[in-house]
Amino acid sequence: MQIPYPWVLGEAHHVALVTNTGTVFGHEIAVAVPTPQASGGQLRLQALVGALVGLLPVALGLMFYPAMRGFGTSGMNFVLALTVGMLAFLLLDMMGEATELAAEAAALFQGSVMVWLSALASFLLLMAIGRWRGRPEGLALAFYIALGIGLHNFGEGLAIGGAFAAGAAGLGTFLVLGFALHNVTEGIGIAAPMLRIRPPLWSFAALTLLAGGPAVLGIWAGSLAYAPQWSAFALAVGAGAILQVMVEVTAYLQRQNSDRQAILYSPAVLGGFLGGIAFMYVTAALIKV
């Protein structure tokens, strides 16, 4: 349905619709811009931006793999705990964003309930799949980490695509640079479970594509078909995947050490966990300044 309205390009508008029963529905348009139209050139440009945000940073992080193989037991524990810390920050960040977006959705979707149920269902489903043939280790665990990070990068792509669609090119460019810096450490986290093995070269390309590729899909979706309820759903599913990966990485960390309980309180593990949270917090803060 199209409704003629004297809108002004680049201006804020408040639109109110009145039904025949007198009910009023209001909507705030922060910046009035034409509805984006898909074109080959636009999609290619957005794919390039997505590669800079998702694929390139993850690939750079994975390049630390050869240097990380020289770590001893304490060094490996530190890197694994660093991964859990980074994932913990991503989990809280995704749930916060999903809850905010759910509040903007229509009451029909029962926003907050949808977010928590989607996250729980995602977590339980992935736990069942992951434990179907035993506990994931090595390359399998790396792919689970890449999957969880990929769903998070999809949410980042939604934010960038939505900013460009709203005409906020400056904000979109800043988000690209900030998220690119933010995502370099994700490749390090993906590499952590593979330090005791020698994975084939193709696996690095596959892990990069799985973790960084969803950023491209997110930018396309955010610029062409943004809806708060579906964005909240995608973020909630990603949060459930992140939680599942945290459980598996922690279990893997414990299996690599004889004293499974005491290792969680060792200086290397505590330092890595807190360091992962701190680094992600600082880089996220730079994005939002």
Side-chain angles (χ1 to χ4, degrees):
M1 181 179 64
Q2 295 184 352
I3 301 175
Y5 191 86
W7 62 282
V8 180
L9 181 64
E11 295 289 334
H13 294 74
H14 182 80
V15 181
L17 297 178
V18 184
T19 68
N20 57 0
T21 62
T23 305
V24 179
F25 295 92
H27 180 70
E28 180 75 23
I29 300 176
V31 181
V33 293
T35 301
Q37 300 295 325
S39 66
Q42 179 191 19
L43 294 178
R44 285 193 295 271
L45 180 60
Q46 291 175 343
L48 176 60
V49 172
L52 293 175
V53 172
L55 295 172
L56 181 61
V58 172
L60 289 175
L62 284 170
M63 289 182 182
F64 285 92
Y65 171 77
M68 292 165 60
R69 280 185 57 84
F71 290 173
T73 301
S74 295
M76 184 174 178
N77 290 341
F78 176 85
V79 174
L80 288 170
L82 184 78
T83 302
V84 177
M86 291 188 298
L87 293 174
F89 178 86
L90 294 181
L91 172 64
L92 296 176
D93 186 54
M94 291 179 76
M95 287 302 293
E97 290 184 25
T99 303
E100 290 179 9
L101 289 170
E104 301 175 9
L108 170 67
F109 294 97
Q110 304 178 70
S112 60
V113 176
M114 178 190 70
V115 166
W116 288 102
L117 288 180
S118 300
L120 178 61
S122 172
F123 168 73
L124 294 176
L125 179 61
L126 289 173
M127 281 295 295
I129 295 174
R131 296 295 179 94
W132 182 35
R133 293 186 176 180
R135 296 176 175 179
E137 295 189 9
L139 188 58
L141 184 55
F143 270 99
Y144 272 106
I145 296 175
L147 174 62
I149 289 176
L151 292 171
H152 173 263
N153 286 339
F154 179 80
E156 292 182 350
L158 288 174
I160 295 171
F164 281 118
L171 174 60
T173 303
F174 188 69
L175 288 175
V176 169
L177 297 175
F179 284 142
L181 172 65
H182 190 60
N183 292 346
V184 170
T185 52
E186 295 176 349
I188 298 174
I190 294 170
M194 302 188 295
L195 299 183
R196 296 186 183 276
I197 63 173
R198 291 186 178 274
L201 289 178
W202 65 263
S203 64
F204 289 94
L207 289 167
T208 300
L209 186 61
L210 181 60
V216 177
L217 302 178
I219 292 177
W220 285 343
S223 63
L224 299 175
Y226 175 82
Q229 62 272 13
W230 304 128
S231 298
F233 174 76
L235 288 171
V237 170
I242 290 288
L243 180 59
Q244 182 263 347
V245 173
M246 288 177 61
V247 172
E248 295 295 6
V249 174
T250 302
Y252 178 73
L253 170 63
Q254 290 182 295
R255 291 197 299 273
Q256 300 306 305
N257 295 270
S258 56
D259 194 342
R260 296 188 175 188
Q261 296 302 322
I263 191 62
L264 297 180
Y265 307 102
S266 67
V269 171
L270 288 177
F273 179 75
L274 296 176
I277 293 177
F279 186 86
M280 297 298 277
Y281 180 86
V282 170
T283 54
L286 292 176
I287 298 171
K288 298 176 181 179
V289 170

